[in-house]
Structures are given as structure tokens and as C-alpha cells.
Amino acid sequence: MNSENVKNNKLRKKAEEIDKDRFYPIDDLSKDELIHELRVHQIELELQNEELKESQIKLSDSQNKYFELYNFAQAGYFTLDKNGLILDVNLAGARMLGVPKRNLINRAFIRCIEYDYRNEFHHHINKYLETETKHSTELKLLKKNDNSFYANLETINILDENENFKESRITITDITDLKKTEKKLIEYKEILEKKVKKRTEKLNKNLEELSNTEKLLSDVTNLSSDVIYVKDRQSHWIFINPALEQIIGKTANDLLGKNDFEIYSNPKIGKTILETDNRIMDSCQEETLEEIVETQNGTRSFISVKTPRFNENDEVIGIVGISHDITERKKAEKELKLSEKKYHSLYTSMNEGVALHKIIYNSQQLAIDYIITNINPAYEYILDLKRSEVVGKKASELYGSGNAPYMEIYVNVVETGTPTEFETYFEPMDKYFRISVTSPEKGKFATIFEDITERKKAEETLIETLKKYNKVNRTLVALRHSSFVMMHATNEISYLEDVCKILVDDCGYSMVWIGLTDKESKKVNPVVYAGFEEDYLKTLNITLEDTEYGHGPTG
């Protein structure tokens, strides 16, 4: 009321100012006052009329804007009375239901809801009937011809001045596409869960195989009398077998994490071994060499086979070594040079085979063969040859190889006087030998050998086991990458492409492809591949039918 009075006072003052500018000839002063009041009132009415016209124009503009916003909105707007009848609806709402707007007015909104969702709608409307709290729900609405769609209903109840229910205003959004997406995501999640379960089962199986392999490897290393060890890139021991602990006289806790320089009291021995390890790792080449090692029983000689150790990226990460104690044999070789008598005694009693030889030269003084002049009992035992069958015979005739075995090596020792040692596989006897060669005088040489067939087989078994371990390790890496890709895949084709690439990169395959079957033709059609293809996939004609094209690895 105060604001209205203020407004009227302003109008009156304005009317009085306008009246001053107008001329009204009045003779009677009382009449002048009356007329003044009437004229001021008249002007007030004119001013009020002008303001009313301006308000009506503004109201009309506002109504037009509201009409446009209301009718041309993307969402559907419905207004319901207390009985659920539609009082008003915008064009978007009518378009959603596929019914003209005029046919929806005064129609029960419940008829626009699919039957199974009507109870839920009643609960939705009545739950907040006496409040102006906004609330929402998801229902299925009916369109023309009984088609339906998913919709999100956001409702607010409007109250009158007495806080009683007046009407419900509902905003409707079509969420059919969202629901379809949710359904696909749920289906895809179920597929992924099945695939993860299958992968997990396969991974568990591989882990079991890996466990069995590790047990086999453990049995081989623990029972071996030879020293077996693994070092890292800095030559620190990260694995040793019991034989090494026994020979050095220290426990694994004392040795693991340390290198040879830290273990041995003689720094020269440790330095030499470290230099050898670094040379092998830098060259990426396996070496067989003789090494001097400090043990609890003094300094001993070992023949070692050291192989670089690689990771999945083919980077050198350390060394795997097998060392065999040859101290006794080295002593025997030394005694052989010092004394003929001692040599002869040792010659006849040692476990290694010993043979003396004489080179045969042709007229041009070229070595063409050699004769066996003497042998020890171990020679007979190891080679299963009688002394009478051997002594005085040419090597080219005796061993059944056509030519004198290892002629080039023996001649080099005789001519240079430098002893040598090597390991070899002699095919005619199907055996592996370790042979030491020395030349006591010009034109003659002696060999000391031992049958290392069993050890070689054990080494081959160990190497194969390590290869298998590496293969399993690469498979586990591929499975881990595949699982990661699967969890982040956006569609099936890109996931399958990534799996093919992983198998090529991690497992070393030249090509990997995946095909899908056509249920009608029963043909297997390649869909993705990785690696070297060279139009190979175009030539495939694989089928599930019982034909010649269905008997292959895929049929």
C-alpha cells in the first residue's frame, strides 16, 4: 500500500505541474479550486492510462517470449491438475507423444504411461503432493500406435496461497538412446567379465605350468654337483645352487647381492671374474673359459660356461653360468709335464682317458693323419675300445669318421706348443667329450679327455627349461597386456587388433590373425591381423563344413 501511495503522490505532483502550464479562465476562486482538482485528477487518469498501456505492451512482449520458450523448448512441459488431467502442454511434449496438442488438453496423463509403470507414476506424484520439492523418476511413455519410449520425468508441485495443492508441472526428457546405451554397456560388461574369467582361468593354468617348470628347474640346480648361478647386470649373485655354497663355504645369505670382488680375499681373482662377466654381457656372446676361484679348500680351477641373460626386450640383464671343478684334472696335466714316472702312474689310474699320438706327414711335410701310440685303461673304458684294436692304428681308420678327427686343432698345438682345451660332440660315438691337448715334443701330442655326455644332456635340459621359462614369461606378459587392453577397449574390433599386435610383439610370432564365422556360409572370414601378411589372408578358404577346407587348424 505504501508503494501505491507514493506512486499516486508522484502522479498528482506531475499532474499539478502540467496544470500550471495550461490556462483556464475562471472567475470564481472557489470554482477555480474545484476545477483545479478536477483537472489534476483528469491528468492523473491520463498518466495512469499511459502507464497501463506501457505495462500491457511489456506484458504482451513477456507473454510472447514465454510462449516461444515454452512451446519451442527441446523438453516436453506438462501441467496437470489435482486429478491428473492435462491443463497445458508445449509443442515438444505433444510431439513426443505423437498427439496434437489440442487432443491432449483435459486428457488424463496416466493414459500416456505404459501400463506396467502407472503405479510407479502414482507413487511419484503423491509422494511430494503437499510440498514444492522437485523430484524425478524414469518411466515408459506411450506414443501413437502404442509405441513406447523411455522418459525422465522431473516434477514439481505448485501450491496456492493457502499452501494447498494447485497443480503439477512436469518436465519430460526422452532418454531412449541413453537406455539403449546403458543396455549395451551392461551387455558389453557381461561379455568382458566372461572374457576376463576365461583369461584368468588360462592365466592360472599358465601359472601352474610355470610353477611346475620352476620346480623342475629347482630340482636340476639343487641336485647338480656343478656350480649353477645367475647374476644381474652388475655381476651381483641373485641365485646360487647348493653346490656353490658348499664349494665356497658360505651360505646364500652371505653371497646373494654381492659380486666376486666382494667375496674373495684375493682382489685379483675377483677383478678377473668381473672383467670376464662384463665382456660377455657387452658382447652378448656365450663363452666357455677357465677360471680360478677361492674355496674353503683353497684356490681351485673351474671350467665355466657363461651365457648372457636377456629380458623380454632382448636387453642384457645379467649372466647365467655353469661351472665345473677341473682342479684335479689341471693338477694331472701339470704332473704329466713334470715327471714321466708320475705321469705314467697317473696315466694308468686317472678317470680321464689319455692317449699319446704321433703326427704323420706326407712328402711335402704336411700333416695328413696321426697314429695312436699309447692309451690308458680309462681310454678303453670310456670309448669301449680294446688296447689291441687301438695302439698303432691311424685315427682316420680307427674312429670311423673317414678323416682323422680334430686334425687341425692337434696340428696347431704341435706346431705352436700351446696347450688347448675344447668340448665337442663326436657323432660316430654319439658322445660329448671335453678334450685337453698338449705337445710334450715336436711331432707328438697327448690328449686327456672325459665323457661329458651326461653333463651336456643336463645342460641342454637346463637350457631348454630356461627357454621354456622365458617363453612362459613372454606369454604372461602378453596376457597381462591383453587384459589391460581388454579393460580399456572401446569396441571389439580395436580390441582384437590390439590383441594381434600384442601376440606379435610379446610372443615373437610373424603373423597373428583372428577370424569370425559366417553362420550361413560357415566360412571363417579374417577380420583383423598383425605382422607379415603378404596377401596371405586373401588366399584362405577356411570353412566349418566337413570338407577338405574344414580339416585344417581352424576347420
Side-chain angles (χ1 to χ4, degrees):
M1 292 297 292
N2 291 333
S3 61
E4 186 68 24
N5 290 333
V6 170
K7 183 177 180 181
N8 290 334
N9 290 334
K10 288 181 177 180
L11 288 173
R12 182 173 180 84
K13 288 179 179 180
K14 188 174 182 180
E16 289 176 344
E17 291 175 358
I18 294 173
D19 184 61
K20 290 178 181 179
D21 297 331
R22 295 183 181 181
F23 175 73
Y24 300 97
I26 299 295
D27 296 332
D28 189 51
L29 292 175
S30 61
K31 289 182 180 181
D32 288 344
E33 292 177 357
L34 177 62
I35 292 171
H36 172 73
E37 288 295 326
L38 290 174
R39 288 172 179 170
V40 168
H41 183 66
Q42 180 183 357
I43 294 172
E44 284 183 16
L45 292 177
E46 290 174 355
L47 292 173
Q48 288 178 348
N49 186 48
E50 290 177 1
E51 288 189 355
L52 180 61
K53 287 180 180 179
E54 290 178 0
S55 298
Q56 286 177 338
I57 293 171
K58 291 180 181 179
L59 178 61
S60 177
D61 291 341
S62 177
Q63 286 176 337
N64 289 336
K65 290 179 180 178
Y66 169 77
F67 178 83
E68 291 176 356
L69 290 173
Y70 182 77
N71 280 292
F72 297 110
Q74 295 295 320
Y77 297 135
F78 289 78
T79 304
L80 309 183
D81 66 10
K82 63 181 179 180
N83 296 318
L85 298 179
I86 300 173
L87 298 177
D88 196 9
V89 59
N90 71 343
L91 296 178
R95 187 169 55 251
M96 286 181 179
L97 300 179
V99 179
K101 178 178 179 178
R102 63 179 179 278
N103 295 341
L104 290 173
I105 304 301
N106 293 325
R107 180 179 179 180
F109 185 75
I110 195 73
R111 294 174 56 191
C112 302
I113 301 174
E114 196 172 90
Y115 183 80
D116 293 340
Y117 291 86
R118 292 180 180 179
N119 286 336
E120 185 175 342
F121 175 71
H122 278 300
H123 177 73
H124 170 73
I125 287 293
N126 295 326
K127 185 175 181 181
Y128 301 97
L129 194 61
E130 301 300 328
T131 69
E132 292 182 324
T133 303
K134 186 181 291 186
H135 50 290
S136 63
T137 187
E138 293 181 359
L139 303 173
K140 257 192 173 183
L141 300 184
L142 292 173
K143 300 177 71 172
K144 193 174 181 180
N145 300 326
D146 293 330
N147 292 325
S148 61
F149 66 96
Y150 280 101
N152 177 270
L153 277 65
E154 194 171 80
T155 304
I156 184 169
N157 293 320
I158 306 301
L159 307 181
D160 59 18
E161 62 274 8
N162 297 320
E163 299 297 321
N164 295 321
F165 176 83
K166 179 182 178 182
E167 61 187 26
S168 294
R169 296 177 184 174
I170 303 176
T171 302
I172 296 179
T173 306
D174 188 340
I175 59 171
T176 303
D177 291 339
L178 178 62
K179 283 291 184 181
K180 289 180 180 178
T181 301
E182 288 178 354
K183 184 179 179 181
K184 288 182 179 180
L185 286 174
I186 292 172
E187 292 174 352
Y188 191 61
K189 180 182 177 183
E190 292 174 351
I191 293 172
L192 285 178
E193 287 176 347
K194 290 179 181 178
K195 289 183 177 180
V196 169
K197 182 180 179 182
K198 187 176 180 180
R199 292 285 184 183
T200 302
E201 291 174 352
K202 187 174 182 180
L203 178 61
N204 290 334
K205 184 178 179 181
N206 288 334
L207 288 175
E208 183 179 353
E209 292 178 356
L210 178 61
S211 177
N212 294 334
T213 302
E214 289 177 343
K215 185 178 183 303
L216 175 61
L217 180 62
S218 176
D219 291 342
V220 171
T221 55
N222 289 336
L223 297 176
S224 175
S225 59
D226 286 339
V227 171
I228 301 174
Y229 48 89
V230 180
K231 297 180 178 180
D232 64 16
R233 193 63 176 82
Q234 288 72 42
S235 289
H236 296 122
W237 278 319
I238 59 175
F239 170 81
I240 60 174
N241 71 333
L244 192 147
E245 296 180 79
Q246 184 178 359
I247 290 173
I248 295 183
K250 295 183 180 182
T251 66
N253 290 334
D254 297 326
L255 298 174
L256 293 178
K258 298 180 180 178
N259 59 36
D260 297 83
F261 192 80
E262 298 170 318
I263 293 297
Y264 303 125
S265 60
N266 187 337
K268 185 177 180 181
I269 292 177
K271 181 180 178 182
T272 301
I273 294 176
L274 288 180
E275 289 174 349
T276 299
D277 291 349
N278 288 327
R279 182 180 68 250
I280 292 171
M281 288 187 283
D282 291 340
S283 67
C284 299
Q285 298 293 324
E286 177 182 294
E287 286 190 23
T288 299
L289 68 158
E290 187 176 321
E291 295 181 305
I292 304 298
V293 176
E294 283 183 353
T295 72
Q296 61 179 337
N297 298 319
T299 302
R300 299 186 71 83
S301 298
F302 286 82
I303 188 73
S304 299
V305 178
K306 293 187 173 183
T307 303
R309 182 167 162 259
F310 300 90
N311 61 14
E312 62 271 14
N313 298 320
D314 291 330
E315 298 170 338
V316 176
I317 58 173
I319 278 181
V320 177
I322 303 174
S323 299
H324 178 70
D325 190 342
I326 59 169
T327 305
E328 298 305 322
R329 194 178 73 193
K330 294 293 291 184
K331 289 180 179 179
E333 293 173 359
K334 186 176 181 179
E335 290 177 2
L336 179 63
K337 295 178 181 179
L338 294 175
S339 172
E340 181 70 23
K341 184 176 180 179
K342 290 181 179 180
Y343 161 76
H344 183 74
S345 176
L346 179 63
Y347 173 83
T348 57
S349 62
M350 63 191 299
N351 292 327
E352 290 90 349
V354 181
L356 303 180
H357 311 80
K358 182 180 179 180
I359 297 290
I360 300 175
Y361 297 91
N362 63 10
S363 57
Q364 286 79 34
Q365 292 300 303
L366 297 176
I368 58 173
D369 208 337
Y370 56 87
I371 297 173
I372 297 88
T373 60
N374 203 352
I375 61 172
N376 72 340
Y379 178 105
E380 297 180 82
Y381 174 78
I382 294 173
L383 301 185
D384 194 23
L385 293 172
K386 299 295 183 183
R387 182 179 181 82
S388 59
E389 299 172 344
V390 175
V391 176
K393 298 293 178 63
K394 292 181 179 179
S396 59
E397 300 171 351
L398 176 64
Y399 296 115
S401 57
N403 298 316
Y406 315 116
M407 187 70 185
E408 183 177 350
I409 296 175
Y410 296 153
V411 169
N412 182 65
V413 172
V414 170
E415 291 180 352
T416 63
T418 303
T420 190
E421 184 179 87
F422 63 96
E423 292 182 1
T424 183
Y425 171 70
F426 192 56
E427 186 174 357
M429 294 183 178
D430 191 26
K431 289 186 177 183
Y432 287 91
F433 295 100
R434 186 193 304 279
I435 303 174
S436 297
V437 189
T438 186
S439 178
E441 58 182 287
K442 188 175 181 179
K444 296 181 179 180
F445 66 96
T447 57
I448 302 173
F449 64 92
E450 62 177 317
D451 185 350
I452 60 170
T453 303
E454 294 303 318
R455 183 177 67 77
K456 275 292 184 180
K457 289 181 179 179
E459 289 177 1
E460 291 174 357
T461 300
L462 178 60
I463 291 172
E464 288 300 316
T465 301
L466 291 174
K467 288 181 179 178
K468 185 176 180 181
Y469 177 88
N470 187 49
K471 184 177 181 181
V472 171
N473 185 54
R474 288 190 173 191
T475 302
L476 291 176
V477 171
L479 286 174
R480 184 173 69 249
H481 289 169
S482 297
S483 297
F484 177 82
V485 168
M486 179 172 62
M487 294 305 296
H488 294 80
T490 57
N491 60 73
E492 185 178 22
I493 295 300
S494 65
Y495 164 66
L496 295 177
E497 288 177 344
D498 289 340
V499 169
C500 290
K501 293 176 182 177
I502 288 169
L503 292 175
V504 170
D505 295 339
D506 291 347
C507 297
Y509 294 111
S510 297
M511 184 185 76
V512 175
W513 66 274
I514 297 175
L516 298 177
T517 57
D518 187 320
K519 293 182 178 179
E520 294 182 2
S521 65
K522 295 186 177 181
K523 287 187 176 181
V524 179
N525 300 314
V527 292
V528 294
Y529 78 94
F532 182 76
E533 189 265 339
E534 194 69 16
D535 293 333
Y536 166 76
L537 297 178
K538 296 180 181 179
T539 64
L540 293 182
N541 188 19
I542 302 172
T543 178
L544 298 179
E545 294 181 339
D546 189 17
T547 66
E548 61 176 328
Y549 295 106
H551 293 167
T554 307

